[in-house]
Every structure is written in C-alpha cells, then in structure tokens.
Amino acid sequence: MLCALAARAALPPGLPFITFYPAVILTAYFCGLGPALVCTTLSGVAVWYAVLPSNLPATGASSAAIALILFGIVVGINLILIERMRRASDANAALAQSTRQLMVELQRETSLRMANEQLAEKTLLLDLALQAADAGTWRYCVRTGRAQLSEQMARHHGFGDQPIEIDVERDWRPRIHPDDAERTLRDLGAAIAGRTKVVTDFRVLLPDGRVRWITGLGQVETDAAGAVTAVVGLSLDITARKEAEAKIAHMACHDPLTGLANRTLFHDRLDAEIARVRRHGATFALFCLDIDRFKAVNDTHGHSVGDALLRIVAARLQAVIRTEDMLARIGGDEFVIIQTEAEQPESASALAERLIGTVEQPIELEGHTLSVSLSVGIALAPADGHDPLSLYNSADRALYRAKAQGRNTFRFAG
C-alpha cells in the first residue's frame, strides 16, 4: 500500500496494481489461500479508493475497472496454482511422513519378529540341552517354603513324570539321604543370606530303593526393595559320574582280580595302625600269607585256572576274617592281613589255623580237583617292629621260616 501510494504519481494508470501483486503471492505461499484472498480483496479496495482516484480524470472509471478485473484474474489464477502446489506439497509431505512411519513400523516389526525367532530358537536349544543333559528346573519360594519342580526334576526325586509343587520340609527332606539333607538346606540358606549362587550335591533315596546323585545349581531372585523372594536353578543327575568316580577310586585302591585291597590301601591302613599304636599303646598282628604250590597249578593248568584259584582263595580268606580286619593282595599269590583289637598272640594263632584250614580244602575248577595249602608268617606290633617297614619285614621272615619248615603252617616273628 505504501509502495503504491509513493509510486502513483510516477507510474502510468493501472500500474499501481503491480505493487500489490508480490504481497498477495507471498501471502498465498506462506499463509494459504484464505489469507491470500483477504489480502487480494484489501488490495483491490485500497487501490480503488486510495490509488485510482488521482488517475480517474485521465483514465476514466472504465479503465480502472478493467485494470482491477485483470488484476483479480491474474491474482486468482496464481492463487489457484499456488494452492494446488501447497496441497501437492502437503500431500507429498504427508506421504513422506507416512512412508517414514511405515518404514519405522516395518523395521520395528522385523526386529521384533527376528527377536521372537531368536528367542524361540534359543528356547528350543535350551530345551534340547536340558533334555540331553537330563536336567530339571526348580524354583524355591522363600516366603512359603515350597518349591516348583519341572517334570525332569520331579522324576529325579521319584515324584512322577509331571511338574509338581512340593513343600521342602514335608516332601523333599524325607527323600534325601540323611547325611546330605541338612547340609544341602544349609547351603541353600547361606545362598539366600548372602545373595549368592548355590551349588550343592546330594543323594536322593528313590521309592524303589535306588540311590540317585543330584547336583543343584541355583541363583537368588530379589524384589524392587532388594529382598530375596526366591531361588531358581537347575538340577543335574550326576549318578553316572559319581559311580564312575567311585569305580576309579575303588580301582586305585583295590586288586582288579580279587576285589581285595591292594598294596596302596594296605600301606595306608598299616601306617594308620602304627600311628594308633604310638598314640594309644594298642597292639595288632600283621600276617603275611603265601599259597603253597600255586606256581605248579599255574604252570600246569594255565593262567585262567590260576586266576580262578586266586579268586576262590581270596573269597575263603575273606570269609574267615572279621569285618574290622583287613585282607589285601599285594602281588601274585601273596596276601597280607591286619588283625586289630584282639588279644595277642592267642587271637593271631587261632586266625592262622582257620586260614590254613579253609585254604587246604579241595577246589573244583574246570573239571580238575586242585589242592593247595597256605603258609603264614605273623608279626606283632609293637614288639616285632615300631614302623611299617620293620614290622612287614618281620612278618615276611616268619613266612619264609614257615615255608622252610614244611609249609601249610604258621610261624611268629622273633
């Protein structure tokens, strides 16, 4: 308006309309069609009443009207084009926004689907691993003292093949070996108190009389306040491992042919008895045994018959001694016995006679009747030796005297 007023004297008639054109176009572009129409109307009115009156005598009203109409037509066309451009731009912007939102949703859906697939795969792998390891899961509620067992865990304890909820004191403790129950519950309590992991092994007494070894691994759960609410974990059946360990330990200390104690276990027991003599002044007898004519049987009938003969003799000797005594095979046809807590030398003499009597009984093997005898050397501790080596040497010398003096007899050291 200001530009039009300033230029009306210098411009030809009708040209002042041009000064309003940029204002209308900019209004339409930045503010929309409605404000542009208002701007157009106000511009026309302003021109009609403020600009044109000074030019009317020269141009006439008709020229002014034509100029105003032309101005309105041009502005109208531009407004329509600008509005369509604005709508197209808005539509494009809306489409772009929708596309971006669609891409975001698609990415989110893809990520969620991939996460679900990975979770399903991990769950499947976990289930397969639990099945392969025959592992069970459990959850112990601290407040109620009850535990939820998976079907594997229930089977481990002889509760059936379905998931079950049990009371730990009432239902679980009676199923556990008396030597393990208190310790296992103590381990659980320590983990709860210290908010740490629990790892414990225990034996389960199954209803059919079998014993199963279980290892339990658990982790505490806490609430928002930090208080322990539960312990969750796994149970693994380690019976096979425990049996293998026991077998290995047995093999390390026992003769594989006869099942008797071997040289290692014998020396451990001998050291323990010598120590007991030194502490308490007790006494015990050490026997060295040798099967007479065993080499002839072995050479004549073969090693298989010889091995069978050794097993029979070992069983006969084992049947004669007491449970508190120890019988060991230390090599070939050599055996040793430690006789404890007995009046000596009377008890040693009586045991030697029983040993000789049981071995000299005929033995039927593979269609052959075999006859062997036993020579025995006896040393008394501490009279015949204050240390394991000297005591054993005394008994061994007594054995050779018995063999030299006719065999099938016994002799004391000294």
Side-chain angles (χ1 to χ4, degrees):
M1 183 67 177
L2 293 175
C3 291
L5 290 174
R8 65 179 178 174
L11 295 174
L15 287 181
F17 286 108
I18 298 174
T19 60
F20 291 95
Y21 183 74
V24 174
I25 298 303
L26 292 175
T27 302
Y29 185 80
F30 289 108
C31 301
L33 182 61
L37 290 175
V38 174
C39 183
T40 302
T41 303
L42 292 176
S43 298
V45 172
V47 170
W48 185 266
Y49 285 100
V51 177
L52 292 179
S54 62
N55 297 322
L56 284 177
T59 61
S62 60
S63 298
I66 292 172
L68 186 61
I69 291 170
L70 291 174
F71 174 77
I73 292 172
V74 172
V75 170
I77 293 173
N78 281 272
L79 291 179
I80 293 172
L81 293 175
I82 291 173
E83 179 62 22
R84 288 186 177 181
M85 290 175 61
R86 283 177 54 84
R87 289 182 179 179
S89 177
D90 292 343
N92 289 334
L95 179 60
Q97 179 66 23
S98 298
T99 303
R100 286 194 295 271
Q101 291 180 350
L102 181 60
M103 292 298 296
V104 171
E105 290 293 329
L106 182 60
Q107 291 176 355
R108 189 174 67 85
E109 182 68 23
T110 302
S111 300
L112 182 61
R113 185 175 67 253
M114 292 178 63
N116 289 335
E117 290 176 354
Q118 291 176 355
L119 179 59
E121 182 180 0
K122 291 180 179 179
T123 301
L124 177 61
L125 292 175
L126 178 59
D127 290 341
L128 291 175
L130 291 176
Q131 293 176 11
D134 193 25
T137 59
W138 52 274
R139 185 178 189 276
Y140 171 71
C141 180
V142 175
R143 182 179 59 84
T144 63
R146 298 181 67 81
Q148 296 173 340
L149 312 183
S150 69
E151 59 182 73
Q152 290 90 348
M153 181 72 166
R155 187 162 51 248
H156 290 167
H157 286 72
F159 289 121
D161 295 328
Q162 297 298 323
I164 189 174
E165 181 174 321
I166 62 171
D167 184 276
V168 171
E169 284 292 336
R170 185 191 65 212
D171 304 320
W172 179 84
R173 181 191 279 269
R175 294 289 178 94
I176 308 305
H177 193 284
D179 295 340
D180 301 337
E182 191 64 34
R183 172 184 52 78
T184 302
L185 290 176
R186 189 166 58 248
D187 292 343
L188 179 62
I192 294 172
R195 291 172 170 78
T196 59
K197 296 180 180 179
V198 56
V199 179
T200 184
D201 295 344
F202 54 90
R203 285 164 289 180
V204 177
L205 306 177
L206 298 177
D208 59 7
R210 291 181 298 142
V211 177
R212 175 174 286 157
W213 274 97
I214 301 295
T215 185
L217 304 93
Q219 175 68 56
V220 299
E221 287 184 342
T222 58
D223 57 17
V228 177
T229 57
V231 183
V232 296
L234 294 174
S235 69
L236 301 172
D237 186 343
I238 58 171
T239 305
R241 191 191 81 190
K242 287 290 186 179
E243 290 176 347
E245 291 174 353
K247 184 176 181 179
I248 292 172
H250 185 273
M251 291 173 61
C253 299
H254 291 79
D255 172 46
L257 178 63
T258 62
L260 299 177
N262 62 10
R263 185 182 295 271
T264 299
L265 193 57
F266 160 67
H267 283 298
D268 290 343
R269 177 66 181 274
L270 184 58
D271 290 341
E273 292 299 329
I274 290 291
R276 192 169 67 88
V277 169
R278 292 171 180 169
R279 287 196 307 268
H280 306 293
T283 184
F284 68 95
L286 175 62
F287 293 67
C288 284
L289 316 175
D290 189 83
I291 302 176
D292 302 324
R293 298 183 300 277
F294 173 75
K295 186 177 183 301
V297 172
N298 214 28
D299 293 343
T300 303
H301 301 285
H303 292 291
S304 61
V305 173
D307 289 346
L309 175 63
L310 287 174
R311 285 193 290 268
I312 293 174
V313 170
R316 289 184 177 184
L317 296 176
Q318 187 70 57
V320 171
I321 66 172
R322 303 170 302 169
T323 56
E324 57 266 35
D325 298 334
M326 178 185 188
L327 171 64
R329 178 182 176 227
I330 60 175
D333 61 336
E334 301 175 44
F335 297 83
V336 289
I337 294 175
I338 296 176
Q339 183 190 39
T340 63
E341 301 178 1
E343 292 293 332
Q344 301 299 357
E346 294 81 4
S347 295
S349 298
L351 177 57
E353 291 175 353
R354 293 197 301 272
L355 294 171
I356 293 171
T358 190
V359 171
E360 67 182 358
Q361 299 298 320
I363 299 173
E364 298 292 334
L365 267 177
E366 299 183 4
H368 303 285
T369 300
L370 305 178
S371 295
V372 293
S373 59
L374 190 68
S375 294
V376 182
I378 307 171
L380 302 179
D384 298 321
H386 292 83
D387 60 86
L389 181 58
S390 61
L391 187 65
Y392 176 79
N393 288 338
S394 296
D396 191 52
R397 288 192 296 269
L399 169 63
Y400 277 97
R401 284 205 310 273
K403 295 180 76 69
Q405 296 174 11
R407 301 182 180 181
N408 198 33
T409 187
F410 68 91
R411 292 291 182 267
F412 281 94

